Structures are given as structure tokens and as C-alpha cells.
Amino acid sequence: MDIIEPCAFPLSERSLRRTALDYGPLALVRRHASWTDFLSDPARTDGRLLLFTTRGAQNFTDFAFQPGDTLLMGQESAGAPEHVHAAAQARLIVPIAPGARSLNLVTAAAIGLAEALRQTGGFPAGPQTR
């Protein structure tokens, strides 16, 4: 997970640990001081930048995800800045019920990531046990 500053919500190490629960130790979290720093990070792959946005041009279920794609989410209250829209190779939308304002950021991110993992075979194999 890459966090690109300025982050729109308080994100401390403590809050990440609390939110991540058992998955925290499995997650690689990188923070970037700016969009430019994110784009120039050597760890970033050459995959496509895909923006999930209420201004999306294509339903995410109709999109063909590929390994290496980077899923971008904007601020929950304001969305992504115009320069992020301009850099994205695709702008995707998660459809919602008529009359609903929006999904919260975590829900939209989970829905988009689940579909990308499903399409690319990225889910862990085999039955999951505790």
C-alpha cells in the first residue's frame, strides 16, 4: 500500500496496526511526500495507473485488470486531483444504488482490489483455515 501525502485522514503507525489487525505484518506500506515522489519511486512498477472515481468512464467489472496494475483512490471527501485523473490510464467506477451519494473509501478500495485479484489470480490458493 502506498500512501501519497498529503493524506486526507490521520494515519499513524498505531492506527495502521489497529486497522490492519492480523494483516499488518503482511503489508508493505510506503509513504510518499508527493505525487511526484510516488511516480519516481524505483519500487513502483511500470504497470498501469487505474483511478477509481465517481467520475469514472468505465464500470470496474467491465475492465480487464492485469498483473502490475496500480489501483488509485482519491480522498474520500474530494476525490483525486486533476493531475491524478490526467495520469491515469483508466478511470473506473464502482456503481452504487440510485440516490446514494458514494461508498466510503475502504469499501470501494476493497471491492476494486477483490475484482483485480480475482481476474489476475492473485487470491491465495486453497482453503483458508484458522
Side-chain angles (χ1 to χ4, degrees):
M1 179 171 72
D2 291 89
I3 306 295
I4 303 168
E5 299 292 349
C7 187
F9 52 89
L11 192 61
S12 66
E13 292 300 319
R14 182 173 181 241
S15 68
L16 272 175
R17 280 193 311 272
R18 186 183 72 246
T19 303
L21 299 173
D22 296 344
Y23 295 95
L26 302 174
L28 172 60
V29 178
R30 287 187 293 273
R31 292 184 103 131
H32 306 277
S34 68
W35 175 250
T36 303
D37 287 352
F38 165 73
L39 291 176
S40 64
D41 186 336
R44 202 186 101 56
T45 65
D46 291 330
R48 300 175 299 177
L49 297 173
L50 311 177
L51 178 60
F52 281 75
T53 172
T54 57
R55 296 171 23 204
Q58 184 175 2
N59 188 317
F60 80 108
T61 58
D62 297 331
F63 187 80
F65 292 93
Q66 300 172 0
D69 284 345
T70 298
L71 282 56
L72 300 169
M73 308 286 167
Q75 293 182 11
E76 193 166 45
S77 60
E82 287 304 317
H83 62 274
V84 175
H85 279 267
Q89 280 84 15
R91 295 182 325 148
L92 307 174
I93 189 165
V94 177
I96 59 175
R101 283 189 317 139
S102 64
L103 295 171
N104 71 34
L105 181 64
V106 172
T107 302
I111 290 169
L113 178 59
E115 178 63 12
L117 290 172
R118 184 191 70 77
Q119 287 188 25
T120 60
F123 277 114
Q128 302 297 309
T129 61
R130 289 187 153 196

